[in-house]
Every structure is written in C-alpha cells, then in structure tokens.
C-alpha cells in the first residue's frame, strides 16, 4: 500500500473492502474508528498491525441493529434493556458474555465482548452494507491522540488503511462510556460520552466509576496503559509545569473565561468553550490537541476541566495524555 490512503464518501466501496477482509476508517459520533469484519480474525489482526496495538487490549464491536447483537452475545442482562432503549444508538458501550463466534483476538481472550451502536448515519449505513458487525478501536497509532476528522486519520495512519470514509468532524469528540453490570452493580470502566449522572438517572441506582486497577479483568480498560491519547509535544496540566522551561514556546488549552486572567507567556491560547460548555469543549478537545501538536511548540499546558459531566471524561483523557517516561 502507498503512504496515503484514499479518502471519500463512497460507502459502497468501503463496505466491499470490509467484506473482502480490508480495513476502513469509519466516522462515528465519538471519534473515528479503524474498522474490520468482527468475524474475520485475519482482518481483525490487521487492525493491531496498523495501530501497533498490543494484542492484549480488546476491541469494541459496532452494530447497526439488534439482530447483529444476537450473533455476538449469549444473552442480554435484563437491566441492559432500558440502557439500550435510552442510549442506543449513542456513545455507550456495554459488556456482554460473548458467543464462540466472536474471535478471541477481538476480546483478547476475555469471556466478555464490548458492544455499541454508533449514533452516526454513515457508520450505520456502512455496518448494514458490510452485512456484519465491525470491530473498531479508535483510528490512531497506539497511545496517540484520537482522531475526530478524516484528516487526523490520514496524517497518522495514511497508507495503513484501505479507505478513509470522510463524514466531517465527530460530533461528541470523546470516546464512548464503557459500562458493565456484575451482580446487580453497575461499573464504568471508562468515562465517556454518556455521563454517570445520566446513567444513574435512567437506571435509578448508583453507578460507580472504577479505576482500571480495580476492574478485575486481565486487561485494563484503556486507562491501565500508562500513556494514551498523547501528542508528540510534551503536555502538562496547568500548575504542574517545570518552571525552568519558562522561555519555551508554549500553548495553553483552557475552557471558560475565568481561568484566562493573567495567563502570560503563551504563544497560543486555545479556548475550547469561552462559555464553559463542556459538551462544546469535548467536541473540540482532540482536534485542538492535533492542531497544537503540529505547531512545533515546546510545551502544551492544559487547564484541568471542572470535575462534572463530560469534564470527568476529559480529565481522564488529559491525565493519560500527560504521562511520559
Ligand atoms: O467511542 C468509542 O468507543 C470509539 C469509537 C471508534 O467507537 N472506540 C474506542 O475504541 O474508543 P478503543 O479501542 O480505542 O477503546 C476501547 C477500549 C479498549 O481500550 C479496551 O480496554 C476496552 O475498550 N474494552 C474492549 N473490550 C473490553 C472487554 N471485554 N472488557 C473490558 N474492556 C474492554
Ligand atoms: Mg483509543
């Protein structure tokens, strides 16, 4: 394959590539995914190769209707029904007991499979036309910043994917919330596009956000891996800068207006939402990281987000993007 991948809106072409065992970058409402036929282990193996992703990190399977769910899971926990009715299609991934047909490579040998139905018309059309559920992690090299446009995919994985389906910027901007039920208890393995408050409201019970070390699975949700979502430019949380580098070319990423007073010494300031709207901030977060990463700066400083609503998912991504050995 050449160093670039074709980009376009040809869903039929993308579906036929998937049916033939190829890889397609698929737009979703959260971030762009790198999709392959979930029932074709050779195709799924290509995802790991393209992303340089350790095979112990399992993939989310994307479906377009309930019939496809039946092919993947042993049964539907009763309490999932209300969640599926309320949040599907949408940024909520649920863990189910898997059927034997789901390749071990998809689940990294786990007995559970993570499934979601994306709230994106082109993704749903693609899954329908491919005629199979699609395994798809975010379409970035392992550990790097998630893509929210076709251009982000082309820059990071160009040449490694057979076709990039372009539907413009992703609406939500952070990945799905990953939720599981065990023994009547609901646990969030990764905070994301559906907030804990919304889940609790619909379930009428407490939902706990567990840290990845408590998850009790052989793998850890995306978090257990130390470095994730990282731009190439060093990134720090505001207030944790090393002052010796004060003369460096630095950018500030912030949200709301209060925090902007007296912020000097930055060559660029990106305000994800002057109004302090965390939905708007989430939609622009990864795109702003990609953009700042291309500017040849020495440091990206990011203000911590308010620890509420989507701010919880954003702080999770921020904390992981910061880690550097
Ligand atoms: O919004 C999203 O979820 C995006 C779009 C493309 O759908 N996908 C996404 O995939 O974020 P990925 O691979 O970047 O993150 C999925 C995470 C993995 O890091 C993995 O740890 C967790 O889901 N996961 C998948 N299957 C699991 C399982 N059976 N048990 C526990 N965690 C699982
Ligand atoms: Mg990812």
């Amino acid at each position: 394959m050449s160093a670039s991948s074709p980009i376009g809106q040809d869903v039929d072409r993308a579906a036929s590539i998937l049916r033939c065992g190829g890889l397609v970058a698929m737009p979703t409402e959260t971030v762009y995914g790198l999709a392959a036929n979930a029932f074709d282990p050779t195709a799924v193996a290509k995802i790991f190769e393209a992303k340089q992703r350790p095979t112990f990190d399992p993939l989310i399977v994307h479906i377009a209707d309930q019939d496809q769910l039946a092919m993947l899971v042993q049964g539907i926990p009763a309490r999932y029904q209300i969640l599926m009715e309320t949040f599907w299609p949408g940024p909520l991934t649920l863990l189910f007991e898997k059927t034997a047909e789901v390749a071990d490579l998809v689940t990294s040998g786990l007995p559970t499979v993570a499934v979601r139905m994306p709230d994106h018309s082109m993704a749903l059309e693609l899954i329908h036309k491919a005629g199979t559920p699609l395994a798809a992690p975010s379409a970035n090299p392992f550990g790097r910043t998630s893509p929210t446009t076709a251009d982000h995919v082309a820059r990071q994985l160009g040449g490694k994917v057979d076709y990039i389906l372009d539907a413009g910027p992703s609406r939500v901007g952070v990945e799905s919330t990953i939720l599981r039920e065990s023994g009547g208890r609901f646990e969030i393995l990764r905070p994301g596009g559906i907030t804990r408050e919304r889940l609790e409201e619909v379930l009428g019970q407490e939902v706990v956000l567990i840290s990845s070390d408590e998850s009790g699975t052989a793998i850890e949700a995306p978090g257990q891996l130390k470095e994730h979502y990282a731009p190439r430019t060093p990134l720090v949380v505001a207030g944790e800068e090393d002052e010796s580098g004060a003369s460096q070319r630095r950018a500030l990423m912030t949200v709301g207006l209060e925090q902007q007073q007296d912020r000097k010494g930055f060559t660029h300031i990106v305000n994800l939402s002057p109004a302090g709207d965390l939905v708007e901030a989430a939609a622009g977060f990864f795109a702003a990281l990609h953009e700042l990463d291309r500017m040849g700066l020495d440091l990206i400083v990011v203000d911590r987000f308010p620890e509420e609503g989507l701010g919880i998912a954003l702080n999770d991504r921020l904390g992981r993007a910061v880690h550097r050995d």
Side-chain angles (χ1 to χ4, degrees):
M1 219 183 287
S2 70
S4 69
S5 302
I7 304 185
Q9 279 101 38
D10 189 344
V11 180
D12 291 308
R13 177 174 172 185
S16 112
I17 289 169
L18 290 166
R19 283 194 305 272
C20 296
L23 295 185
V24 168
M26 164 176 75
T28 83
E29 81 281 28
T30 57
V31 301
Y32 276 64
L34 184 60
N37 178 352
F39 293 124
D40 179 345
T42 311
V44 172
K46 291 181 190 166
I47 294 178
F48 289 94
E49 192 190 5
K51 283 194 61 134
Q52 298 287 302
R53 179 180 178 112
T55 46
F56 53 77
D57 200 15
L59 307 176
I60 293 174
V61 179
H62 298 69
I63 58 169
D65 55 47
Q66 298 280 339
D67 291 346
Q68 290 184 328
L69 184 61
M71 306 157 76
L72 297 164
V73 310
Q74 300 263 2
I76 301 173
R79 303 283 289 138
Y80 278 10
Q81 215 71 50
I82 180 90
L83 295 173
M84 288 160 43
E85 275 163 30
T86 311
F87 297 112
W88 280 8
L92 178 68
T93 295
L94 295 168
L95 258 53
F96 298 84
E97 257 186 79
K98 79 175 196 78
T99 55
E101 285 73 43
V102 181
D104 280 336
L105 195 52
V106 171
T107 63
S108 303
L110 288 176
T112 53
V113 59
V115 184
R116 84 177 193 98
M117 191 185 288
D119 185 14
H120 194 289
S121 57
M122 199 185 272
L124 294 172
E125 186 188 346
L126 178 68
I127 301 166
H128 271 305
K129 287 188 167 164
T132 177
L134 300 178
S138 50
N140 50 274
F142 181 71
R144 296 288 160 202
T145 307
S146 307
T148 56
T149 66
D151 181 58
H152 297 156
V153 180
R155 284 171 187 273
Q156 296 191 105
L157 291 178
K160 295 186 169 153
V161 39
D162 298 297
Y163 190 67
I164 300 172
L165 206 45
D166 184 357
S170 295
R171 178 174 54 81
V172 176
V174 288
E175 292 86 347
S176 60
T177 299
I178 303 179
L179 185 73
R180 77 168 171 207
E181 192 234 46
S182 69
R185 188 179 133 100
F186 280 91
E187 298 172 333
I188 294 175
L189 300 183
R190 172 179 74 181
I194 300 290
T195 63
R196 171 180 170 172
E197 294 92 316
R198 279 292 288 140
L199 292 169
E200 290 187 334
E201 207 174 283
V202 166
L203 284 167
Q205 75 176 80
E206 194 197 6
V207 174
V208 290
L209 175 58
I210 61 167
S211 76
S212 21
D213 359 312
E214 290 175 277
S215 67
T217 50
I219 331 105
E220 336 240 337
Q224 304 169 329
L225 304 159
K226 281 195 288 188
E227 188 174 314
H228 223 85
Y229 311 108
R232 292 182 187 277
T233 312
L235 181 151
V236 293
V237 175
E240 296 170 14
E241 301 99 318
D242 170 4
E243 284 316 314
S244 63
S247 63
Q248 296 170 323
R249 279 167 48 82
R250 311 169 153 213
L252 173 69
M253 192 192 295
T254 188
V255 66
L257 290 176
E258 309 89 64
Q259 306 200 74
Q260 271 198 79
Q261 315 306 319
D262 306 320
R263 307 300 286 274
K264 299 213 169 61
F266 293 101
T267 48
H268 293 278
I269 295 185
V270 176
N271 194 328
L272 295 173
S273 171
D277 176 357
L278 293 174
V279 174
E280 184 183 18
F285 176 68
F286 285 131
L289 274 188
H290 279 287
E291 197 180 322
L292 292 173
D293 204 17
R294 286 204 295 271
M295 296 176 69
L297 301 163
D298 298 302
L299 190 67
I300 300 171
V301 179
V302 187
D303 279 328
R304 201 167 276 294
F305 297 90
E307 192 67 11
E308 65 190 29
L310 286 181
I312 292 170
L314 286 168
N315 283 331
D316 170 79
R317 306 304 186 269
L318 180 58
R320 298 186 201 296
V322 117
H323 182 97
R324 313 193 79 82
D325 269 334

